[in-house]
């Protein structure tokens, strides 16, 4: 009985939301339109006019109506017009009509036209996604509503878009974009942007050259009806652009390519955690902007496909809005097969002591284990949405004007966003050779937001500063997950990469004991972190006053069996309160991926062959945070030390067995090799005895206290001094042979690039010859270090034809042919 009453209350509340949204006045005509500067009268051909005045004696609703005294002159053989136009001023919020499915306007004809067959009534809806876009119009036409004198009549018309390609002329069953057969017209994206309505037109139109006139009264222009707006979380390929992921209870979530139920589809992989040993763990998405589901509340469901292993316990699907939560607890079919689920919104019940839900403002969706989570258990989810959404399957255009500009230890990548896209993301790639396949390139950054249009690629090299030459390319990804073609930087960028401290291949000592003495680390170069010299970064809205407040040297080393870590921290006030969460005390965190990272970065923690770890060096223990593998990895003893030092600060030492990590998390056993590129970051927590964490200093500039949940924010370093493990081909490795590569592009106009390699340092000469063997220009004539080099050849002053370029270095000679076409 209580459940029945609860459902009745929820139904009544949902109905109230729906009714509140069902009718919205657009224009009441209760005031004088002539005094409103957002309106204008537009006519064509003398003596056309529309005199619009306030009528306070004859109206259908409210306190007034609008008299329209209309004359349409003789102007074109195909007719002319007289219309009232409403436009929202620049800088003001636009109309959002997304939830409504119909329009209505009261009409009373008090003087009919002389030639009613030639007079039609039109309503235009105008949209403009941004202030820089042209205004695009969609048109409805009714042929007879103005033909004869009559009493008040409410004309109702559907907000239904019948054509966006200009192929149809206006009719009374919906709206069409400005027809191509009319000529002219302005367009932005040829999509009806119902949330970006800049105004409307109310028009009387003549379809012949004859002059005519009529008088009409208008009242109560409104939108009504409630349209079911889909909420799409995951469309089988990607998360939608308005979804921002979060996890809790040590859950880990990632999108896995090819893991969906159909070939070519993807799925969300959910690895449960059990942070509090009570089975509560989950994940979800903040929805921004929020979605108005009031139109779907009584008739729609939250739908998804789920696959889970035997033993999976009860789950809860949940939505939130206006601070309230509703959801449904269900027992999934646990047979490791895909199954479809649909849970009606109207049958969901309040959760976590909520008593209300705002269905017009749904801003969170989530899935959780209902006290049934088991650390490490894997579930798969795909096709997660409400309603019956139409999915975009058209690839967006790529970004344009992509450039690479060298800076100090960085290359600035700039571009112009793709046209006619909204909430799209941009992916930036780099490589030592031209990029034809993004899966065969390194990643500068994925998912750069709309409107950013610049990103700085930090150039890093193992140990010493080294010259690098990179090609760059970009792609656009739209909200539906469609990917554009590549847009490439026209020429590679040569610059100097900053040499960074790497992970030592030598253990501190053969008989390591964590005792706080760092003398055994003397032969290992530390990673220095301080705000004063730019070697570290401060998380926004946190505070570190100076290097005495917080700075440090961090040591990282490996051998075949162990990971060794040490911190020598300067901290003027040491704080430890065991009653607080460990991150609220003074404690350094280190994030490490124990694998050779190339290609796309992880976004969430992965296990198996490419495991990611988050170690926190707390005063009373070393723990692994967020992975559900147990709170204490090490406690003080021969393998772990944490204590204060004189006169200020503290020292940490730890030795972690790779076998322990492998056994605890069922990960592959890590075998370090020189040249591995290792994902890495640090977060150093500074408490200063306040009971709160005041400062957070990080190694990665992208951390912003989010590296604990987003692996893609980590930086990287190497093991040892090589660019790549021995035996793995990589153009950045020290080149062991001489080579002259074919220029690219070829043919070219007017510039091309030439890549060459030399085995030993020495003088290099590269010259260009014409077909008669005459030297056209000398590109290089100087001493060069061993390795790969790139030069740019600008042939703007040469005529079209075949040319040859030749290299000499020591006993090495080579010649290639190239073609200039202008």
């Amino acid at each position: 009985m209580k459940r029945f009453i609860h459902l009745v209350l929820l139904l009544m509340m949902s109905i109230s939301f729906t009714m509140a949204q069902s009718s919205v006045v657009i224009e009441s005509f209760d005031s004088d339109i002539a005094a409103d500067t957002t309106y204008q009268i537009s006519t064509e051909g003398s003596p056309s006019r529309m005199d619009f005045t306030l009528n306070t004696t004859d109206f259908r609703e409210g306190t007034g109506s609008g008299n329209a005294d209309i004359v349409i002159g003789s102007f074109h053989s195909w007719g002319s017009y007289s219309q009232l136009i409403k436009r929202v001023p620049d800088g003001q919020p636009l109309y959002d009509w997304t939830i409504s499915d119909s329009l209505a306007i009261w009409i009373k004809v008090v003087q009919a036209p002389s030639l009613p067959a030639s007079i039609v009534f039109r309503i235009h809806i105008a949209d403009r996604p941004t202030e820089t876009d042209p205004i695009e119009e969609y048109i409805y036409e009714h042929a007879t509503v103005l033909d004869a004198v009559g009493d008040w009549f409410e004309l109702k018309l559907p907000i239904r878009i019948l054509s966006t390609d200009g192929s149809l002329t206006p009719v009374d069953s919906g709206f069409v974009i400005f027809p191509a057969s009319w000529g002219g017209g302005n367009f932005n994206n040829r999509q009806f942007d119902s949330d970006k309505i800049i105004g409307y037109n109310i028009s009387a139109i003549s379809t012949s050259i004859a002059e005519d006139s009529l008088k009409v009264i208008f009242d109560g222009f409104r939108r009504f009806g409630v349209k079911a707006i889909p909420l799409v979380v995951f469309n089988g390929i990607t998360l939608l652009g308005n979804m921002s992921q979060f996890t809790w209870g040590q859950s880990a979530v990632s999108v896995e390519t090819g893991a969906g139920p159909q070939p070519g589809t993807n799925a969300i992989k959910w690895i449960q955690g059990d942070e509090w040993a009570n089975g509560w763990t989950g994940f979800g998405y903040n929805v921004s902007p929020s979605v108005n589901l009031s139109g779907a509340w009584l008739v729609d469901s939250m739908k998804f496909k789920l696959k889970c292993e035997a033993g999976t316990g009860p789950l809860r699907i949940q939505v939130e809005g206006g601070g309230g939560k509703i959801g449904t607890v269900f027992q999934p079919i646990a047979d490791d097969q895909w199954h479809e689920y649909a849970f009606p919104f109207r049958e969901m019940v309040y959760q976590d002591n909520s008593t209300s839900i705002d269905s017009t403002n749904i801003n969170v969706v989530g899935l959780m284990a209902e006290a049934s989570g088991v650390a490490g258990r894997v579930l798969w989810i795909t096709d997660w949405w409400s309603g019956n959404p139409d999915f975009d399957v058209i690839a967006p255009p790529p970004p344009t004007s992509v450039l690479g500009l060298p800076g100090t230890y960085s290359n600035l990548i700039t571009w112009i966003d793709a046209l006619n896209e909204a909430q799209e993301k941009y992916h930036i790639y780099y490589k030592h050779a031209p990029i034809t396949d993004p899966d065969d390139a390194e990643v500068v950054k994925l998912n750069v937001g709309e409107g950013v249009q610049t990103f700085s690629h930090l150039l890093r090299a193992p140990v010493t500063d080294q010259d690098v030459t990179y090609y760059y390319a970009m792609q656009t990804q739209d909200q539906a997950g469609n990917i554009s073609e590549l847009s490439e930087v026209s020429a590679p960028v040569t610059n100097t990469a900053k040499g960074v401290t790497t992970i030592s291949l030598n253990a501190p000592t053969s008989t390591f004991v964590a005792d706080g003495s760092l003398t055994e680390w003397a032969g290992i170069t530390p990673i220095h972190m301080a705000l004063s010299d730019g070697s570290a970064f401060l998380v926004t809205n946190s505070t570190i006053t100076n290097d005495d407040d917080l700075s440090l040297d961090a040591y990282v080393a490996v051998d075949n069996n162990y990971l060794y870590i040490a911190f020598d921290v300067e901290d003027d006030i040491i704080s430890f309160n065991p009653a607080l969460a460990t991150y609220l005390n003074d404690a350094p965190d280190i994030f490490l991926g124990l694998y050779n990272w190339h290609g796309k970065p992880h976004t969430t923690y992965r296990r198996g062959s490419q495991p990611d770890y988050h170690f926190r060096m707390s005063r009373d223990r070393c723990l692994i945070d967020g992975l559900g593998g147990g709170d204490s990895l090490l406690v003080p003893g021969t393998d772990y030390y944490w204590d204060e030092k004189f006169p200020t600060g503290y020292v940490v030492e730890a030795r972690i067995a790779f076998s322990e990590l492998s056994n605890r998390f069922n990960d592959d056993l890590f075998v370090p090799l020189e040249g591995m590129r290792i994902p890495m970051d640090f977060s150093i927590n500074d408490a200063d005895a306040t009971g709160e964490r005041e400062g957070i200093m990080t190694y990665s500039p992208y951390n912003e206290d989010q590296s604990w949940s987003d692996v893609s924010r980590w930086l990287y370093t190497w093991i040892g001094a090589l660019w790549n493990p021995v035996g793995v081909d990589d153009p950045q490795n020290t080149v062991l042979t001489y080579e002259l590569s074919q220029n690219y592009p070829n043919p070219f106009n007017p510039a091309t690039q030439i890549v060459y390699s030399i085995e030993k340092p020495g003088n290099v000469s590269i010259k260009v010859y014409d077909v008669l063997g005459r030297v056209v220009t000398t590109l290089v004539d100087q001493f060069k270090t061993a390795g790969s080099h790139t030069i740019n050849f600008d042939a703007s002053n040469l005529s079209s034809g075949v040319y040859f370029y030749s290299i000499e270095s020591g006993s090495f000679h080579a010649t290639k042919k190239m073609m200039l076409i202008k």
Side-chain angles (χ1 to χ4, degrees):
M1 182 66 180
K2 287 183 178 179
R3 175 176 168 81
F4 174 76
I5 294 173
H6 181 86
L7 290 174
V8 170
L9 291 173
L10 182 60
L11 180 62
M12 292 175 62
M13 178 182 59
S14 300
I15 292 173
S16 68
F17 283 133
T18 302
M19 292 180 63
Q21 289 291 315
S22 62
S23 183
V24 178
V25 174
I26 299 170
E27 175 53 67
S28 67
F29 296 104
D30 289 342
S31 58
D32 188 3
I33 293 297
D36 188 339
T37 58
T38 64
Y39 280 102
Q40 57 181 297
I41 303 296
S42 177
T43 61
E44 184 181 47
S46 177
S48 295
R49 72 173 193 276
M50 177 184 283
D51 297 329
F52 217 95
T53 57
L54 178 64
N55 186 332
T56 59
T57 59
D58 189 0
F59 50 86
R60 185 60 180 76
E61 56 185 38
T63 61
S65 61
N67 283 333
D69 186 353
I70 302 169
V71 174
I72 304 175
S74 174
F75 194 65
H76 296 296
S77 61
W78 57 83
S80 191
Y81 62 82
S82 184
Q83 56 186 343
L84 175 71
I85 300 176
K86 169 80 169 188
R87 291 292 182 266
V88 175
D90 286 349
Q92 297 297 312
L94 302 185
Y95 298 127
D96 185 350
W97 293 359
T98 304
I99 196 64
S100 301
D101 64 11
S102 302
L103 297 175
I105 187 169
W106 287 99
I107 299 174
K108 182 177 182 180
V109 179
V110 296
Q111 176 190 317
S114 301
L115 300 171
S118 299
I119 298 296
V120 299
F121 173 72
R122 288 185 189 150
I123 290 181
H124 299 212
I125 304 176
D127 73 15
R128 188 171 70 170
T130 72
E131 288 188 5
T132 60
D133 289 324
I135 294 174
E136 187 172 87
E137 293 189 0
Y138 293 80
I139 305 169
Y140 164 94
E141 178 177 296
H142 197 289
T144 62
V145 73
L146 301 180
D147 284 0
V149 173
D151 202 356
W152 284 104
F153 168 77
E154 188 173 34
L155 176 66
K156 297 180 179 179
L157 52 145
I159 306 177
R160 181 186 302 127
I161 306 304
L162 306 176
S163 169
T164 60
D165 62 3
S167 61
L168 301 181
T169 55
V171 292
D172 61 5
S173 57
F175 288 80
V176 303
I177 204 168
F178 196 95
S181 61
W182 290 2
N186 294 318
F187 306 97
N188 44 66
N189 59 9
R190 291 185 179 268
Q191 297 177 5
F192 181 61
D193 298 296
S194 59
D195 61 337
K196 297 290 187 297
I197 306 299
I198 195 172
Y200 50 84
N201 305 3
I202 298 174
S203 311
I205 308 295
S206 170
T207 59
S208 73
I209 196 169
E211 181 180 323
D212 212 334
S213 64
L214 65 158
K215 294 182 180 179
V216 188
I217 309 175
F218 296 105
D219 201 3
F221 184 35
R222 65 188 177 95
R223 55 185 174 91
F224 70 98
V226 182
K227 183 167 53 179
I229 306 301
L231 169 61
V232 180
V233 181
F234 186 80
N235 65 4
I237 299 297
T238 188
L239 294 165
L240 273 286
N242 60 335
M243 297 291 154
S244 175
Q245 182 174 289
F246 62 86
T247 61
W248 56 277
Q250 294 183 329
S251 281
V253 177
S254 60
V255 174
E256 299 296 321
T257 302
Q262 301 298 327
T265 63
N266 306 332
I268 299 169
K269 181 181 181 181
W270 172 23
I271 304 175
Q272 292 183 342
D274 191 14
E275 184 172 3
W276 305 289
N278 59 9
W280 287 97
T281 184
F283 72 103
Y285 301 95
N286 295 307
V287 185
S288 180
S290 61
V291 176
N292 186 340
L293 293 184
S294 61
W297 206 251
L298 300 181
V299 297
D300 206 354
S301 303
M302 181 60 75
K303 311 177 185 85
F304 54 89
K305 295 175 183 175
L306 184 144
K307 180 174 72 171
C308 58
E309 60 192 49
T312 301
L315 306 176
R316 184 201 300 177
I317 185 72
Q318 182 167 293
V319 298
E320 303 177 25
K325 305 176 182 180
I326 62 168
T328 296
V329 178
F330 67 101
Q331 174 60 51
I333 302 171
D335 61 358
D336 206 29
Q337 301 295 318
W338 285 104
H339 296 278
E340 295 186 11
Y341 298 84
F343 298 102
F345 292 122
R346 66 180 181 275
E347 295 181 5
M348 291 183 177
V349 298
Y350 292 119
Q351 303 291 336
D352 302 335
N353 300 315
S354 292
T355 57
S356 64
I357 184 80
D358 183 356
S359 62
T360 70
N361 185 33
I362 299 302
N363 58 5
V364 177
V365 295
L367 187 63
M368 68 186 73
E370 185 85 358
S372 65
V374 175
R377 175 176 287 157
V378 177
L379 294 84
W380 301 87
I381 305 96
T382 192
D383 297 355
W384 186 354
W385 59 69
S386 70
N388 296 289
D390 293 325
F391 290 123
D392 175 12
V393 296
I394 300 174
T400 58
S401 302
V402 183
L403 296 174
L405 305 172
T408 303
Y409 295 133
S410 66
N411 290 333
L412 182 67
I413 312 304
T414 69
W415 67 92
I416 296 175
D417 283 357
L419 295 175
N420 303 324
E421 293 292 330
Q423 295 186 340
E424 75 277 13
K425 304 292 185 182
Y426 294 93
H427 308 322
I428 311 171
Y429 310 98
Y430 72 103
K431 193 178 178 182
H432 300 293
I435 300 172
T436 57
D437 181 0
D439 291 333
D440 191 34
E442 303 288 8
V443 172
V444 176
K445 185 67 175 177
L446 300 179
N447 300 314
V448 180
E450 177 188 15
V452 177
Q453 300 189 120
T454 64
F455 195 85
S456 183
H457 178 204
L458 302 180
L459 305 179
R460 300 166 67 80
V463 184
T464 61
D465 290 3
Q466 300 178 49
D467 288 344
V468 292
T469 298
Y470 291 138
Y471 292 79
Y472 291 94
M474 291 186 63
Q475 288 180 305
T476 308
Q477 179 172 335
D478 64 19
Q479 288 193 78
N482 301 305
I483 303 288
S484 74
E485 295 180 350
L486 284 166
S487 181
E488 298 177 81
V489 174
S490 60
V493 182
T494 299
N495 202 348
T496 301
K498 181 177 179 59
V500 297
T501 303
T502 61
I503 296 171
S504 174
L505 267 170
N506 300 311
T509 62
S510 59
T511 57
F512 176 86
V513 175
D515 56 7
S517 172
L518 300 183
T519 55
E520 66 265 39
W521 295 86
I524 296 174
T525 304
I527 299 168
H528 182 68
M529 296 176 60
L531 298 179
S532 61
D533 60 9
S535 58
F537 301 88
L538 182 65
V539 167
T540 303
N541 297 323
S542 71
T543 301
I544 295 173
T545 55
N546 52 41
D547 288 355
D548 290 336
D549 190 16
L550 186 63
S551 59
L552 70 141
D553 285 331
Y555 300 82
V556 185
V558 292
D559 60 20
N560 288 335
N561 299 308
Y562 294 99
L563 168 68
Y564 301 86
I565 301 170
F567 293 94
D568 185 0
V569 182
E570 290 300 322
D571 189 341
D572 53 2
I573 300 175
I574 308 301
S575 174
F576 177 69
N577 182 348
L580 297 175
T582 53
Y583 66 86
L584 295 177
N585 291 306
D586 288 308
D589 290 15
I590 179 171
F591 307 87
L592 278 175
L594 295 183
Y595 51 92
N596 185 31
W597 170 51
H598 290 280
K600 293 182 179 179
H602 300 178
T603 53
T604 58
Y605 289 72
R606 293 190 185 179
R607 308 267 49 89
S609 61
Q610 294 191 349
D612 303 298
Y613 299 97
H614 174 188
F615 304 101
R616 176 167 300 136
M617 308 300 180
S618 181
R619 184 164 191 157
D620 58 350
R621 67 200 187 280
C622 169
L623 59 96
I624 295 186
D625 190 50
L627 300 184
D631 185 58
S632 297
L633 178 66
L634 299 173
V635 295
T638 57
D639 285 334
Y640 189 66
Y641 176 93
W642 199 114
D643 207 351
E644 299 181 34
K645 65 175 184 176
F646 180 81
T648 57
Y650 58 92
V651 172
V652 179
E653 280 191 293
R655 182 175 67 174
I656 301 169
F658 295 132
S659 59
E660 173 67 16
L661 297 177
S662 176
N663 293 334
R664 185 173 294 212
F665 299 102
N666 198 28
D667 293 331
D668 289 5
L669 181 66
F670 180 64
V671 179
L673 295 174
E674 185 169 18
M676 283 184 166
R677 195 174 78 157
I678 301 296
M680 185 176 72
D681 195 12
F682 295 90
S683 286
I684 315 302
N685 306 296
D686 186 36
D688 282 356
T690 61
E692 297 180 357
R693 181 174 50 175
E694 294 183 346
I696 309 172
M697 190 170 70
T698 69
Y699 181 64
S700 168
Y702 316 119
N703 181 309
E704 284 297 338
D705 195 27
Q706 295 299 314
S707 281
W708 62 272
S709 63
D710 185 353
V711 179
S712 69
R713 292 175 178 266
W714 303 1
L715 281 183
Y716 59 90
T717 188
W718 289 262
I719 295 178
L722 296 181
W723 281 89
N724 228 42
V726 173
V728 178
D729 185 26
D730 186 282
Q732 195 58 63
N733 288 342
T734 301
V735 179
L736 302 178
T737 61
Y738 289 95
E739 183 179 7
L740 179 64
S741 299
Q742 184 65 53
N743 65 302
Y744 180 87
N746 186 42
F748 66 99
N749 177 29
T752 188
Q753 293 82 45
I754 298 170
V755 177
Y756 66 98
S757 304
I758 58 173
E759 179 181 348
K760 299 177 181 179
N763 193 71
V764 175
S765 172
I766 298 179
K767 296 180 179 180
V768 178
Y769 302 84
D770 64 16
V771 293
L772 299 178
R774 295 175 297 192
V775 176
V776 173
T777 186
T778 298
L779 299 177
V780 179
D781 188 11
Q782 63 186 113
F783 182 88
K784 289 289 185 179
T785 58
S788 179
H789 303 269
T790 301
I791 53 175
N792 297 322
F793 174 39
D794 188 340
S796 299
N797 62 340
L798 299 179
S799 57
S800 297
V802 174
Y803 294 86
F804 299 86
Y805 58 100
S806 180
I807 183 173
E808 292 184 16
S809 181
S811 60
F812 175 66
H813 301 266
T815 300
K816 298 279 187 180
K817 181 171 68 174
M818 57 185 170
M819 181 175 292
L820 172 62
I821 299 178
K822 292 188 174 181

